[in-house]
């Protein structure tokens, strides 16, 4: 079973997780607080900023034909309204290197991290974020027009709402520390819930002070809980960015990506499962119906009973992230999305955090076999991007979560391709 050459088969990264020294971002500030919730600092990360040619070469040699990466807003606009042409030129070089090597660049304009100044101004709960993001998207597009065919405006645009549900659940469980930590696996992003209540409060206070915000509850970075208005603001920012991109270059295919679980239920859990899918996906449909594609990102499933999500019903082993190893999830989610979203679908992330690369190889095989069936069924699936090209900085959890197809010795920055990189490439028609 091989994918045809017009299918994008590749791997993905995010700027803050791989580049290093992203000093203008909100994440850099939060990592370096005295009572930071991050288990370690990103620092030099895996130095992809300086080693992108080597990493793209490894991707190409494996037989892959596409690379999804993000442009770091904090590098492009380090201060409000001040553009850094040198940094923009860096990303143009990355795009040009992809093109020169027959690699399709799929570019994400925002992948969780934001400029620090944006958070000081109210972040993703301020109506002004729509204008700020539109201006940034227009600026970047003016520089990449004619080179890039696919743009993801915002990565996992529903993550802020998922965080709101997580925080609400944590608040109800505050008296039971072990149960709080068990909730880390309920979201598909690296969060650290191992701190006690006192440490969490210290971190919140320091974070608010760092961004010059009086109320710690008002710090609105992208991976923080959203109000209903904040959830809508993300959609408005996406729509404004899409329109700006199209006004500069109508040929660019534009979409966003969503963090989705394979929502399942047992008898009695039907209503809870229906609400969960509406929260994660259905209520966004009016805002993405004009998009050219939908980026689908799924790593696991959730099973609902009459009381809500019940992880005890899961039968698979747990990954390093704390959720179930379930490669069928991405296949089920693509099928379900295709029932309601009529544009093209791209799997913009899918993978497994494990130290066992043989298991990663099997995960890839199972996922891609199922996705090939989706294409045979007539689903408009255009591409698959494994998360991630490189072992990297998994946000609050640091470098211990190994998603990569390539390992990195962070002392020497030496790259070592894993067998799974070759296995992924073997699915592409030669």
């Amino acid at each position: 079973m091989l994918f045809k050459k017009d299918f994008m088969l590749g791997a993905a990264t995010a700027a803050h997780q791989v580049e290093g020294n992203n000093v203008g971002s909100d994440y850099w500030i939060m990592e370096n607080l005295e009572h930071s919730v991050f288990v370690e600092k990103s620092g030099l990360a895996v130095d992809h900023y300086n080693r992108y040619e080597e990493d793209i070469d490894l991707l190409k040699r494996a037989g892959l034909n596409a690379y999804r990466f993000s442009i770091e807003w904090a590098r492009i606009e380090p201060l409000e309204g001040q553009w850094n042409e040198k940094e923009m030129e860096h990303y143009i070089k990355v795009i040009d290197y992809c093109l020169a090597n027959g690699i399709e660049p799929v570019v994400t304009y925002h992948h969780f991290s934001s400029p620090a100044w944006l958070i000081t101004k109210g972040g993703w709960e301020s109506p002004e974020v729509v204008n700020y993001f539109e201006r940034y998207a227009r600026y970047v597009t003016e520089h990449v027009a004619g080179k890039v065919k696919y743009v993801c405006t915002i990565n996992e645009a529903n993550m802020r709402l998922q965080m709101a549900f997580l925080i609400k659940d944590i608040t109800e469980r505050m008296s039971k520390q072990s149960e709080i930590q068990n909730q880390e696996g309920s979201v598909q992003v690296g969060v650290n819930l191992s701190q006690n209540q006192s440490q969490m409060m210290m971190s919140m206070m320091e974070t608010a002070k760092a961004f010059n915000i009086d109320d710690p509850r008002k710090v609105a970075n992208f991976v923080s809980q959203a109000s209903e208005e904040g959830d809508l603001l993300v959609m408005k920012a996406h729509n404004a960015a899409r329109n700006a991109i199209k006004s500069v270059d109508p040929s660019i295919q534009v979409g966003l990506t969503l963090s989705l679980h394979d929502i399942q239920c047992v008898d009695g859990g039907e209503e809870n499962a229906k609400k969960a899918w509406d929260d994660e996906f259905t209520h966004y449909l009016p805002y993405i119906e004009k998009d050219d594609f939908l980026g689908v990102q799924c790593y696991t499933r959730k099973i609902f009973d009459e009381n809500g999500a019940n992880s005890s019903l899961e039968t698979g082993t747990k990954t390093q992230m704390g959720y179930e190893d379930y490669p069928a999830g991405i296949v089920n989610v693509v099928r379900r999305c295709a029932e309601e979203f009529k544009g093209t679908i791209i799997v913009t992330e899918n993978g497994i955090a494990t130290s066992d690369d043989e298991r990663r190889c099997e995960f890839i095989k199972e996922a891609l076999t199922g996705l090939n069936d989706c294409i045979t069924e007539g689903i408009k699936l255009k591409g698959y991007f494994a998360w991630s090209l490189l072992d990297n900085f998994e946000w609050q959890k640091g470098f211990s979560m190994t998603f990569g197809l390539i390992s990195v010795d962070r002392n020497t920055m030496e790259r070592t391709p894993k067998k799974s990189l070759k296995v992924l490439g073997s699915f592409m028609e030669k």
Side-chain angles (χ1 to χ4, degrees):
M1 185 273 291
L2 298 174
F3 291 97
K4 295 180 179 179
K5 291 182 179 180
D6 62 350
F7 184 87
M8 294 187 293
L9 186 62
T13 62
H16 190 82
Q17 293 178 268
V18 295
E19 288 182 343
N21 292 325
N22 184 23
V23 299
S25 80
D26 54 347
Y27 270 83
W28 186 271
I29 289 175
M30 293 186 292
E31 293 162 24
N32 285 278
L33 297 173
E34 182 180 355
H35 294 91
S36 175
V37 297
F38 289 74
V39 299
E40 57 187 321
K41 302 171 184 177
S42 60
L44 191 57
V46 293
D47 198 26
H48 182 65
Y49 187 91
N50 295 304
R51 298 169 186 262
Y52 67 88
E53 292 184 356
E54 176 184 359
D55 297 333
I56 293 169
D57 287 346
L58 291 172
L59 179 147
K60 178 184 179 180
R61 285 188 208 126
L64 302 175
N65 66 357
Y67 177 38
R68 177 181 172 236
F69 63 93
S70 72
I71 291 176
E72 185 58 56
W73 187 359
R75 292 189 189 273
I76 302 301
E77 192 180 7
L79 298 173
E80 181 191 349
Q82 295 186 20
W83 306 108
N84 190 322
E85 292 284 350
K86 181 180 177 182
E87 293 290 8
M88 190 67 249
E89 184 61 33
H90 166 78
Y91 290 109
I92 292 171
K93 289 178 181 177
V94 177
I95 292 166
D96 285 344
Y97 195 77
C98 286
L99 295 173
N101 285 277
I103 303 298
E104 189 73 61
V106 175
V107 180
T108 302
Y109 281 9
H110 186 274
H111 195 129
F112 290 165
S113 49
S114 304
W117 63 260
L118 182 76
I119 310 307
T120 298
K121 288 181 169 291
W124 290 92
E125 288 289 331
S126 169
E128 282 301 302
V129 74
V130 177
N131 298 325
Y132 291 138
F133 189 64
E134 177 186 22
R135 182 179 64 185
Y136 159 68
R138 183 180 299 278
Y139 174 86
V140 172
T141 307
E142 287 171 348
H143 288 77
V144 304
K147 297 175 181 288
V148 172
K149 296 178 183 177
Y150 297 91
V151 169
C152 307
T153 57
I154 298 172
N155 178 74
E156 296 187 341
N158 57 343
M159 181 53 69
R160 298 200 68 235
L161 194 63
Q162 291 186 356
M163 290 300 297
F165 295 140
L166 174 64
I167 298 300
K168 179 182 178 183
D169 194 52
I170 288 172
T171 302
E172 296 170 355
R173 297 168 180 257
M174 269 296 191
S175 62
K176 300 179 180 180
Q177 183 70 14
S178 62
E179 289 193 22
I180 293 174
Q181 287 181 249
N182 289 342
Q183 292 305 105
E184 289 181 358
S186 68
V187 289
Q188 299 178 133
V189 64
V191 293
N192 171 30
L193 303 178
S194 64
Q195 289 184 318
N196 60 40
Q197 193 169 351
S198 175
Q199 289 172 319
M200 286 184 179
M201 287 303 298
M202 287 294 292
S203 179
M204 288 177 64
M205 295 293 287
E206 290 176 10
T207 300
K209 183 178 180 181
F211 293 112
N212 197 28
I213 296 173
D214 293 334
D215 186 345
R217 296 169 298 179
K218 301 295 186 183
V219 178
N221 68 313
F222 199 83
V223 186
S224 65
Q225 58 180 323
S227 64
E228 288 186 17
E229 295 80 7
D231 182 45
L232 180 58
L233 280 176
V234 176
M235 292 298 107
K236 288 181 177 179
H238 162 65
N239 287 166
R242 182 191 63 218
N243 293 340
I245 293 164
K246 289 290 191 179
S247 71
V248 175
D249 186 348
S251 71
I252 293 178
Q253 301 293 288
V254 184
L256 51 63
T257 83
L258 293 174
S259 169
L260 301 169
H261 294 84
D262 179 10
I263 303 294
Q264 303 177 7
C265 66
V266 296
D267 289 344
E270 292 84 0
E271 285 303 310
N272 285 328
K274 182 179 182 299
K275 183 182 184 303
W277 184 249
D278 179 71
D279 289 337
E280 283 199 352
F281 179 72
T282 311
H283 86 277
Y284 294 111
L285 277 172
Y287 305 102
I288 64 174
E289 61 185 4
K290 294 181 180 178
D291 291 2
D292 298 300
F293 69 87
L294 170 65
V296 173
Q297 302 181 184
C298 173
Y299 291 83
T300 191
R301 65 175 171 172
K302 282 187 177 181
I303 306 175
F304 288 79
D305 60 19
E306 66 275 10
N307 297 314
N310 186 347
S311 60
S312 69
L313 297 172
E314 298 166 2
T315 57
T317 58
K318 295 291 190 286
T319 71
Q320 292 171 337
M321 292 286 285
Y323 47 67
E324 186 184 17
D325 173 352
Y326 194 71
I330 187 62
V331 182
N332 295 335
V333 167
V334 164
R335 285 194 175 108
R336 190 165 186 181
C337 287
E339 293 174 2
E340 301 176 82
F341 180 80
K342 298 308 177 183
T344 298
I345 292 174
I346 301 172
V347 175
T348 40
E349 285 183 26
N350 176 245
I352 179 173
T354 179
S355 59
D356 181 359
D357 194 53
E358 288 297 330
R359 177 56 203 145
R360 181 175 293 104
C361 292
E362 291 305 309
F363 186 101
I364 290 169
K365 291 174 183 177
E366 292 174 51
L368 289 183
T369 299
L371 291 171
N372 187 64
D373 290 341
C374 290
I375 294 172
T376 301
E377 294 161 15
I379 292 173
K380 294 184 288 186
L381 182 64
K382 178 63 179 176
Y384 175 93
F385 292 85
W387 186 267
S388 176
L389 180 63
L390 302 151
D391 285 338
N392 60 50
F393 181 73
E394 184 53 41
W395 309 110
Q396 293 180 10
K397 288 182 177 290
F399 292 96
S400 62
M401 306 289 108
T402 49
F403 279 97
L405 305 173
I406 300 169
S407 65
V408 181
D409 182 331
R410 294 192 61 249
N411 292 315
T412 64
M413 294 299 168
E414 181 182 359
R415 273 72 168 140
T416 304
K418 302 177 186 178
K419 179 182 176 182
S420 53
L421 178 64
K422 185 177 181 180
V423 166
L424 181 63
S426 72
F427 280 84
M428 176 52 65
E429 181 179 84
K430 298 298 185 280

